[in-house]
Amino acid sequence: MKDECRSLMAALSVKVLTVYMFLSVFFLPGVWAECKENSHLHMTAPKKLEALSGSCLIIPCSFKKTPGNGEKFDKSKQIIGVWIKNNTQFVENPNNVIFNSTNQTNIYPMKIIGNLTQTNCTTLFSNLTTKYTERYYFRIEDGYFKVVDRCNFIEINIQDSPQSPSIEIPADLKEKTSVSITCSAPTPCPHSPPELTWNLQADSQRQTETNTDGSFTTKIQKNITLSDTHDGFTINCSARYPVNEGPPKTAETLKTLNVSYAPKDTSVSISPSASVSVGIWVKMTCSSRAKPAVINFIWFRSSKDGDQKVAEGEFYSLNATEGGAYYCVATNDLGNQTSPKIDLIVGGSLKLIIQNFVRVAVILILTCSIFCIWCSRKIQRHQQAKTQQKQPANELDLQSPAIDAVYEL
Ligand SMILES: *[C@@H]1O[C@H](CO)[C@@H](O)[C@H](O)[C@H]1NC(C)=O
Ligand SMILES: *[C@@H]1O[C@H](CO)[C@@H](O)[C@H](O)[C@H]1NC(C)=O
Ligand SMILES: *[C@@H]1O[C@H](CO)[C@@H](O)[C@H](O)[C@H]1NC(C)=O
Ligand SMILES: *[C@@H]1O[C@H](CO)[C@@H](O)[C@H](O)[C@H]1NC(C)=O
Ligand SMILES: *[C@@H]1O[C@H](CO)[C@@H](O)[C@H](O)[C@H]1NC(C)=O
Ligand SMILES: *[C@@H]1O[C@H](CO)[C@@H](O)[C@H](O)[C@H]1NC(C)=O
Ligand SMILES: *[C@@H]1O[C@H](CO)[C@@H](O)[C@H](O)[C@H]1NC(C)=O
Ligand SMILES: *[C@@H]1O[C@H](CO)[C@@H](O)[C@H](O)[C@H]1NC(C)=O
Ligand SMILES: *[C@@H]1O[C@H](CO)[C@@H](O)[C@H](O)[C@H]1NC(C)=O
Ligand SMILES: *[C@@H]1O[C@H](CO)[C@@H](O)[C@H](O)[C@H]1NC(C)=O
Ligand SMILES: CC(=O)N[C@H]1CO[C@H](CO)[C@@H](O)[C@@H]1O
C-alpha cells in the first residue's frame, strides 16, 4: 500500500514536471531561453514609442553583432535589415516579416535611413495608422549570420490624438527671481515637428532637440522675471501637429504659476473714523496682500522724537487721548512693507464743543443786539433832522434845535 502510494506520487510528480516543461517551452514566455539563444544580435532602441496617425515616426535604432561559431559575414553582400511584427507566437513566421531592406516596396511603409554597415538601423515609419500599433523585432542578415533579437523589441503605439505638451517651471517660484519656462512636445516625426504656441511671448525660436534615447522633442522657451502679478497666471501651451490629410491635430496643456511675494498694498484703516473725540475707543486694522500670508504686523506711532513701536498684531485698539500719525509694517518670509501713515485727530468731547458753541452764540447775539440798537437810534435822529429841514426857510437857522439834538448824541 505504502509502495503503491509512493510510486503513484513519483509518477504524478514526473507528469507535473513534464507538463511544466511543456508549458515553459510552448506557452510560458520563456524569454530567458530566447534571449540566450539570440544574444548574438543586440538591438538598442527605445522600448516604447508613441506616434500620431497621419504623421510619421523615426525609430532610433542601432545594433551589435556577436557572431557565433560558423557564422561568417559575407562582405561581398550588403547587410539586410528586417523588421518583424509580432502578432503570432512565432516571430519568424514569414507572414510577420513586414519590412526587408532589399525590397523596393514593403508591406509596411518603412525605410531604414541609418547606415547598416555603421550598425545604424534608424528607421523612418511613415503614413501611420492605428493598425500599426504593434511589437516590432529586428533581424539582421549578413552572409550566414541571420539572427532576430528576440529580447529587445519595440512597442509602437499609434494614436489618433497627439500627446499633450509639457510645461516645465522651476519649483518654488519667488518674486524678483528670473526663471526659464519651457513648453516641450514629443516629436515622433522631426520631418514635420509640431507648431508650439502659448500665451507667453516666446524668447527663442522653436527648436527640435534629440533626446538621449534618440527620440526628438520640440521646445519653446521664455525667461521671465517674476512679480506678484504672475501669481495665479495660467500658462496655456498648445501643440499643432501637421498630418497627411485634414487639419493639424492639436493638444494643449495648462499650468498655473504659484509665485510667493513679500507683502503688497499694506494699508491702515481706522474705525469709527480718523477724527474722533477724546475718550473714544478707536480700532485700527492693518491689511496687506502677501504670499505666504503675513506672519507679523507691527504698529508704530510717529512723533518728533522718532517712531515708536506701540503694538503687534493685525488690529490695534486704543482709547483716543491725543492725536498722532500711525502706521503698520507687515512681514512674511519674503520681506516686509510699511503702510502709509494715517493721522488720528482727537478733538474735545461733545459736551465741551456744545458749551463752546453756546458761548460763542451768546456773545454774537449780544454784539448784534447792541449794534442794532445803536443803528436804529441813529436812523431815528437822522429822520427827525430831515423833518426839521423841510420847515420854511426863515426858520432855517444854524442854531436850530434839531441840529443841536444831532450833536447831542
Ligand atoms: C529579405 O530579402 C532577401 C532578398 O530578397 C531574402 O533573401 C531574405 O530571405 C529576406 N528575408 C526575410 C526575413 O524575409
Ligand atoms: C518583398 O518583395 C517580394 C516580391 O517583390 C514580396 O513578395 C515580399 O512580400 C516583399 N517583402 C516585404 C517584407 O515587403
Ligand atoms: C543613425 O542614422 C540617423 C539617420 O541618418 C542619424 O540621424 C543618426 O545620427 C545616426 N546615428 C548614429 C549613432 O550615428
Ligand atoms: C555607410 O557607411 C560605410 C562605411 O562607413 C560607407 O562606406 C558607406 O558609403 C556608407 N553608405 C552611405 C549610403 O552613406
Ligand atoms: C503616404 O500616403 C500618401 C497619400 O495618403 C501617398 O501619397 C504617399 O506616397 C504615402 N507615402 C508612403 C511612404 O507610403
Ligand atoms: C534663458 O535663461 C537660460 C538660463 O537660465 C539661458 O541659457 C538662456 O539663454 C536664456 N534665454 C534667453 C532668450 O535669454
Ligand atoms: C488655450 O489656447 C488655445 C489657443 O491658443 C485656445 O484655443 C484654448 O481655448 C485655450 N485653452 C484654455 C483652457 O484657455
Ligand atoms: C503654492 O506654493 C506654496 C509654497 O510655495 C504652497 O504652500 C501652496 O500649496 C502652493 N499652492 C498651489 C495652488 O499649488
Ligand atoms: C478712555 O480714557 C479715559 C481717561 O483715561 C477714561 O475716562 C475713559 O473712560 C476711557 N474710555 C474708554 C472707552 O475706555
Ligand atoms: C523690513 O525689512 C528691512 C530690510 O530687510 C529691515 O531692515 C527692517 O528692519 C524690516 N522692518 C521690520 C519692521 O521688520
Ligand atoms: C501580441 C502578440 O502576439 N505577442 C506575442 C509576441 O511573441 C511572443 C513570443 O515571441 C508571444 O509570447 C506574444 O504573445
Side-chain angles (χ1 to χ4, degrees):
M1 188 67 186
K2 251 188 179 176
D3 285 351
E4 262 179 58
C5 234
R6 210 172 280 155
S7 60
L8 189 70
M9 290 277 280
L12 263 175
S13 61
V14 165
K15 264 192 183 154
V16 167
L17 194 68
T18 315
V19 167
Y20 177 76
M21 282 172 75
F22 176 81
L23 277 174
S24 51
V25 167
F26 295 99
F27 296 104
L28 294 179
V31 165
W32 57 270
E34 287 180 353
C35 285
K36 201 175 169 190
E37 187 191 335
N38 295 295
S39 61
H40 302 303
L41 178 66
H42 185 94
M43 177 197 65
T44 304
K47 293 227 177 310
K48 279 183 177 229
L49 286 169
E50 301 269 338
L52 182 63
S53 61
S55 186
C56 80
L57 170 68
I58 293 281
I59 305 169
C61 174
S62 66
F63 62 91
K64 188 167 181 267
K65 294 180 291 184
T66 319
N69 289 334
E71 288 175 330
K72 289 201 179 77
F73 303 137
D74 186 348
K75 290 221 166 62
S76 65
K77 286 186 177 163
Q78 68 173 131
I79 303 169
I80 300 170
V82 173
W83 285 104
I84 301 161
K85 74 170 178 180
N86 175 49
N87 61 3
T88 68
Q89 206 171 339
F90 304 100
V91 287
E92 284 174 272
N93 178 338
N95 295 330
N96 289 342
V97 174
I98 44 86
F99 174 85
N100 184 328
S101 64
T102 55
N103 268 30
Q104 280 301 96
T105 55
N106 281 283
I107 296 167
Y108 279 19
M110 294 172 120
K111 189 182 182 219
I112 292 183
I113 55 170
N115 187 335
L116 287 174
T117 55
Q118 290 175 344
T119 72
N120 185 339
C121 47
T122 298
T123 300
L124 171 65
F125 199 166
S126 47
N127 281 8
L128 297 176
T129 68
T130 51
K131 71 170 186 184
Y132 299 143
T133 293
E134 233 138 13
R135 199 180 261 195
Y136 291 83
Y137 288 85
F138 187 63
R139 175 178 169 92
I140 279 291
E141 296 183 0
D142 185 2
Y144 297 106
F145 181 89
K146 295 179 178 177
V147 184
V148 175
D149 181 353
R150 300 188 194 202
C151 306
N152 302 291
F153 52 84
I154 309 166
E155 306 262 17
I156 296 180
N157 183 15
I158 293 141
Q159 295 196 305
D160 284 328
S161 45
Q163 285 180 272
S164 295
S166 52
I167 299 172
E168 287 149 62
I169 302 171
D172 203 15
L173 302 179
K174 291 189 171 79
E175 68 171 342
K176 292 175 189 161
T177 58
S178 178
V179 292
S180 176
I181 296 173
T182 310
C183 178
S184 53
T187 308
C189 182
H191 298 83
S192 47
E195 184 193 317
L196 291 172
T197 51
W198 61 3
N199 52 356
L200 295 172
Q201 203 81 50
D203 278 349
S204 56
Q205 209 62 29
R206 172 180 78 172
Q207 277 181 324
T208 300
E209 295 174 356
T210 311
N211 304 317
T212 48
D213 69 353
S215 62
F216 300 89
T217 301
T218 303
K219 293 183 171 184
I220 51 171
Q221 198 181 51
K222 168 86 183 161
N223 290 352
I224 51 175
T225 302
L226 297 169
S227 79
D228 61 301
T229 55
H230 292 111
D231 183 46
F233 182 79
T234 300
I235 298 171
N236 170 0
C237 183
S238 64
R240 283 156 61 92
Y241 290 85
V243 287
N244 288 346
E245 280 163 21
K249 295 182 174 179
T250 63
E252 71 180 36
T253 297
L254 305 176
K255 212 160 182 180
T256 301
L257 295 177
N258 183 1
V259 182
S260 33
Y261 49 89
K264 303 273 177 273
D265 307 333
T266 306
S267 67
V268 173
S269 63
I270 191 161
S271 135
S273 113
S275 173
V276 293
S277 312
V278 167
I280 294 285
W281 202 248
V282 170
K283 185 182 179 190
M284 295 192 217
T285 305
C286 187
S287 57
S288 188
R289 193 165 56 78
K291 192 167 179 175
V294 170
I295 46 169
N296 193 17
F297 292 99
I298 301 175
W299 290 91
F300 291 89
R301 184 177 194 275
S302 279
S303 66
K304 294 185 292 288
D305 318 322
D307 297 358
Q308 273 196 320
K309 177 177 163 181
V310 290
E312 271 185 43
E314 194 176 350
F315 308 106
Y316 173 41
S317 294
L318 74 158
N319 182 348
T321 48
E322 52 176 332
Y326 291 87
Y327 63 90
C328 67
V329 177
T331 306
N332 74 353
D333 296 343
L334 280 93
N336 66 42
Q337 195 189 35
T338 302
S339 76
K341 283 179 189 169
I342 191 159
D343 285 316
L344 176 66
I345 298 157
V346 179
S349 74
L350 199 60
K351 204 173 143 195
L352 214 68
I353 290 173
I354 292 170
Q355 278 176 355
N356 284 343
F357 179 78
V358 169
R359 215 170 284 158
V360 169
V362 166
I363 290 168
L364 268 176
I365 289 165
L366 280 175
T367 321
C368 267
S369 315
I370 291 165
F371 181 74
C372 286
I373 290 165
W374 179 80
C375 273
S376 60
R377 279 215 188 138
K378 188 166 179 174
I379 291 165
Q380 235 175 3
R381 296 267 161 80
H382 190 66
Q383 275 176 347
Q384 276 174 5
K386 265 192 177 168
T387 344
Q388 281 166 8
Q389 270 176 4
K390 279 181 188 160
Q391 281 168 2
N394 55 357
E395 277 186 34
L396 190 69
D397 186 13
L398 272 173
Q399 300 302 309
S400 130
I403 289 167
D404 281 352
V406 170
Y407 282 103
E408 256 171 45
L409 201 111

